[in-house]
Amino acid sequence: MSHHFNNYIAGEWRAAKSGQTVENRNPADADDAIGAFPDSSAEDLNEAVAAAREAFEAWRKVPAPLRALKVQRAGELMRERKEDISRQMTREMGKVIAETRGDTQEGIDTAFYMAGEGRRLFGVTTPVELPNKFGMAVRRPVGVAGLITPWNFPMAIPTWKVFPALVAGNTVIIKPATYTPATVCELGSILEEAGVPSGVFNIVCGRGSTVGEAMLHHNEINVLSFTGSSAVGRRINEVGGKTLKRVSLELGGKNAQIVLADADLDLALEGVLWGAYGTTGQRCTATSRLILEETIHDRMVQMLVDAAAKLKLGNGLDESVQVGPLVSAEQRETVHSYVEIGREEGAELALGGEYYEEGDCARGYFYRPTVFVGVTPTMRIAQEEIFGPVLSVFKVKDAEEAMRVLNDSSYGLSSSIYTRDVNLAFKAIEDLDAGITYVNGPTIGAEVHLPFGGVKDTGNGHREGSFTVFDVFTEWKSVYVDYSGRLQRAQIDVEE
Ligand code: NAP
Ligand code: MG
């Protein structure tokens, strides 16, 4: 019997009005049912938005440090339940248990960081040009926030949005990815237990094409925060443009790691294995391209192929497994179609390129770690996000060409360079077109208190994480207090 999950609306756990559900199964094992989730419609969303709207007036008046205490309590509960949350997450989306523990930990870190921000939420005070007059700018909540999240970080990404939105005084509705609602339902139970009042936090499970679309069009949602593909991001911005909603977009990536001839190659190898095959390549910051200086190219490719061939695939609950399945049959087909494209484009398959179906893995969506060599910048596998364990290797003649190849992408999320030359490292920091640059580290590994996001088609200029997320979830108000007792006209009554 599979477990039944519900929406969380106005402080109650409710089935979809239509009574329809969607069933989810473990991508590592089709025999393992996770549960049945509401297949909600616009009607369910309307109830959630009405609840959030009603709750907003009281919630925005709760002092920020006290709102933040609820988030802190949620973080404490997450910490107590970390192992259960992580195990369920591995069953729900397949990544290995060490990584789902990291995903949960990121949620806990965000809770504690944001709990502290409740006592900061810094504004600005500044001198003004007239005497006996005071100037400052303060942050106010935006209102009702609509949050739409992907499946690859089922806890971390929802918490990046939910916790700052709540600390800033907004009320929220979250629509989790259809593949991973169970983790968000767990977050809902935790916020309920932490004492977040009814209506302040709501969950509406359902498809992007129904609930997601309805969110874009809803007049009572004031800000939309989305993480997902660039294709859907474009759609959201289009509709958001018409309704003049604030829209924050965190989108795809085609991240590259550069390895220069002077680098520590063993370190660079460890980095690329983790960056390319961690989360089975299904991270927005995954290493999808490896750019090698020609003098070390052959040696590094050999090291890579040998090591990637030894990675252990399987059910992520087994602590010795290093690579889990892809999230779905559909995702595996997409990944494989890119492998066919790469072959047709003339890249050379050095490893993998096929389904992995040995033993119990036949019950899941496993794909062999894959390496293409001889990739050139105009190939589709060099440009498009594959979102799977497929790495494209480029050979370049020097650091300058390496950086040019790295920048030859419509995306700009994460980037990495391995070198011992401090001058080249700083040149990379200055010249790589990306929101994140790692020096002597892989393309993944963001911490919650630094800005997170990218340039070009990776987003629309916002940054999550750190204090910068409050530019998504607050409106600025400028305040002038004139204590001169007379009319003082700015720009006019100013004596130079
Ligand atoms: P996706 O297909 O764009 O879906 C993301 C979310 O949007 C899901 O909840 C989805 O619902 C919903 N959605 C789909 N169509 C919609 C529509 N028309 N209107 C409103 N919502 C809609 O992305 P994904 O496949 O879940 O995730 C993978 C992508 O996310 C990759 O491109 C990856 O790079 C990106 N990503 C970016 C970051 C970042 O911070 N930059 C982080 C992680 C992932 P359903 O689940 O029902 O489809
Ligand atoms: Mg999708």
Side-chain angles (χ1 to χ4, degrees), residues 81-160:
R81 292 176 205 168
K82 179 174 171 182
E83 191 58 20
D84 287 346
I85 294 169
S86 307
R87 295 186 81 79
Q88 171 168 270
M89 199 193 301
T90 289
R91 285 177 56 219
E92 184 175 39
M93 67 72 70
K95 68 184 171 187
V96 302
I97 185 73
E99 292 186 43
T100 53
R101 286 185 192 125
D103 192 316
T104 309
Q105 186 60 45
E106 201 163 327
I108 297 166
D109 294 345
T110 301
F112 294 158
Y113 174 72
M114 284 300 159
E117 283 296 308
R119 291 191 183 270
R120 291 154 49 98
L121 271 182
F122 288 148
V124 177
T125 62
T126 176
V128 294
E129 66 190 30
L130 291 157
N132 299 317
K133 196 175 169 188
F134 182 84
M136 65 180 167
V138 296
R139 292 181 184 273
R140 306 177 79 222
V142 183
V144 175
L147 315 178
I148 302 177
T149 51
W151 45 265
N152 61 341
F153 282 88
M155 183 62 95
I157 293 177
T159 59
W160 285 0

Side-chain angles (χ1 to χ4, degrees), residues 291-310:
I291 303 170
L292 302 177
E293 203 167 350
E294 61 189 2
T295 51
I296 49 123
H297 174 274
D298 294 356
R299 199 168 132 218
M300 187 79 201
V301 166
Q302 194 57 53
M303 287 163 69
L304 170 67
V305 166
D306 290 347
K310 292 198 192 95

Side-chain angles (χ1 to χ4, degrees), residues 304-495:
L304 170 67
V305 166
D306 290 347
K310 292 198 192 95
L311 291 171
K312 183 172 173 190
L313 275 64
N315 188 320
L317 288 179
D318 174 345
E319 303 266 359
S320 70
V321 163
Q322 291 162 294
V323 183
L326 290 161
V327 76
S328 64
E330 192 192 0
Q331 195 67 25
R332 183 164 67 165
E333 281 161 28
T334 305
V335 168
H336 191 62
S337 72
Y338 272 107
V339 169
E340 313 260 82
I341 289 167
R343 278 203 186 104
E344 280 158 27
E345 288 178 314
E348 184 198 328
L349 192 61
L351 183 73
E354 56 188 11
Y355 289 17
Y356 179 79
E357 301 191 299
E358 314 226 323
D360 290 346
C361 288
R363 294 205 301 272
Y365 311 120
F366 291 89
Y367 202 83
R368 286 188 192 273
T370 298
V371 177
F372 272 115
V373 294
V375 181
T376 55
T378 56
M379 292 180 183
R380 282 182 64 192
I381 59 165
Q383 292 295 336
E384 297 176 25
E385 185 179 47
I386 300 174
F387 231 56
V390 179
L391 181 65
S392 294
V393 183
F394 300 70
K395 190 199 286 194
V396 295
K397 67 174 189 314
D398 55 20
E400 201 180 310
E401 188 187 353
M403 293 192 217
R404 208 164 51 236
V405 168
L406 186 145
N407 285 341
D408 184 0
S409 169
S410 58
Y411 294 109
L413 183 51
S414 186
S415 57
S416 148
I417 184 164
Y418 281 76
T419 179
R420 287 164 165 141
D421 183 329
V422 70
N423 295 354
L424 287 172
F426 271 87
K427 201 166 158 27
I429 293 167
E430 190 172 321
D431 291 344
L432 295 181
D433 294 329
I436 307 169
T437 293
Y438 292 92
V439 177
N440 293 324
T443 59
I444 60 186
E447 298 184 27
V448 304
H449 56 297
L450 267 77
F452 183 91
V455 302
K456 299 194 268 188
D457 291 355
T458 294
N460 63 343
H462 291 286
R463 292 290 183 271
E464 297 198 313
S466 81
F467 58 90
T468 52
V469 72
F470 290 116
D471 289 334
V472 175
F473 291 117
T474 62
E475 295 276 10
W476 282 107
K477 173 181 279 194
S478 296
V479 181
Y480 301 89
V481 180
D482 191 322
Y483 52 96
S484 69
R486 59 196 168 91
L487 172 66
Q488 298 195 92
R489 297 172 301 175
Q491 295 90 36
I492 295 166
D493 298 331
V494 179
E495 283 175 42

